Amino acid sequence: MDTNHPGSAGGRGGIGSIFGGGSPGYSHSDLAGVPLTGMSPLSPYLNVDPRYLVQDTDEFILPTGANKTRGRFELAFFTIGGCCISGAAFGALNGLRLGFKETQNMAWSKPKNVQILNMVTRQGALWANTLGSLALLYSAFGVIIEKTRGAEDDLNTIAAGTMTGMLYKSTGGLRGVARGGFAGLALAGAFALYNNWEHIKGSSSRVSL
């Protein structure tokens, strides 16, 4: 057999020696006892030790005492910003609808454009302010409850939603507080149910079995 052929082991060793020495090869007996957890069997012609390819640790290094998931304080900025943007978008669409409705008998002119634009900006600012205020109250209550209880679970979500509705409707008297609290409780409960739907389905399927 020609050892100088590029496809032979000798050829690979010669090429490797030109560039500073080839890496040591592994025979079939060396690779026989190496566990390949979660990996398909490697080709025997790959000059790689598969033990270095198995990753048993986390990809990212977290600071000491840090959680793998973001807390309510970190999520508060995303929640408030997302609600403001969503409110502005919804308000702009609603203002556009109202503007066309109020000016449907007017001819297409500059006053009509100005009136529609005013309605869009007014409704956009109104809804952005409303949803942003609700998100701010909800995030603040959530952070306070989390720090007070020292735990993060769905109870914090439900309590924060209920208290947000009660405070937001506090100017309407006891009846307004009750309605706001019930609305916040319903929305927060629906959100908690949605987040745990897969877990509930899995638990019910195990019970049925």
Side-chain angles (χ1 to χ4, degrees):
M1 183 177 180
D2 186 8
T3 58
N4 293 327
H5 192 274
S8 62
R12 288 195 300 271
I15 295 176
S17 61
I18 295 177
F19 295 98
S23 58
Y26 296 90
S27 63
H28 292 282
S29 59
D30 295 332
L31 298 177
V34 178
L36 299 177
T37 305
M39 299 173 55
S40 58
L42 295 176
S43 172
Y45 299 102
L46 291 177
N47 198 14
V48 178
D49 187 350
R51 288 174 294 186
Y52 296 108
L53 300 179
V54 179
Q55 186 174 359
D56 297 329
T57 59
D58 295 335
E59 183 177 358
F60 302 101
I61 300 176
L62 297 174
T64 304
N67 297 324
K68 293 185 178 181
T69 57
R70 291 180 294 179
R72 287 187 177 270
F73 184 76
E74 290 81 5
L75 292 175
F77 300 97
F78 171 78
T79 303
I80 297 172
C83 287
C84 287
I85 295 175
S86 301
F90 176 79
L93 293 176
N94 188 46
L96 188 64
R97 179 185 65 85
L98 294 177
F100 278 114
K101 183 178 180 180
E102 292 184 1
T103 60
Q104 59 182 352
N105 296 326
M106 297 176 58
W108 197 266
S109 58
K110 186 175 181 179
K112 180 177 181 177
N113 296 339
V114 171
Q115 188 170 350
I116 294 176
L117 183 60
N118 290 338
M119 186 64 66
V120 169
T121 54
R122 188 181 303 116
Q123 289 293 318
L126 175 63
W127 280 96
N129 184 34
T130 301
L131 293 186
S133 300
L134 289 174
L136 178 61
L137 293 175
Y138 171 77
S139 300
F141 281 127
V143 172
I144 293 174
I145 296 173
E146 179 187 8
K147 299 300 182 182
T148 303
R149 296 182 63 234
E152 172 54 31
D153 51 21
D154 294 326
L155 181 60
N156 296 350
T157 300
I158 296 176
T162 304
M163 295 177 67
T164 299
M166 294 174 63
L167 182 60
Y168 188 77
K169 289 295 186 178
S170 60
T171 56
L174 294 178
R175 182 173 297 180
V177 170
R179 290 179 178 177
F182 180 76
L185 177 63
L187 292 176
F191 180 72
L193 182 63
Y194 172 77
N195 282 341
N196 294 276
W197 184 248
E198 295 297 331
H199 178 70
I200 296 174
K201 287 176 60 179
S203 300
S204 60
S205 61
R206 287 194 297 268
V207 171
S208 61
L209 293 176

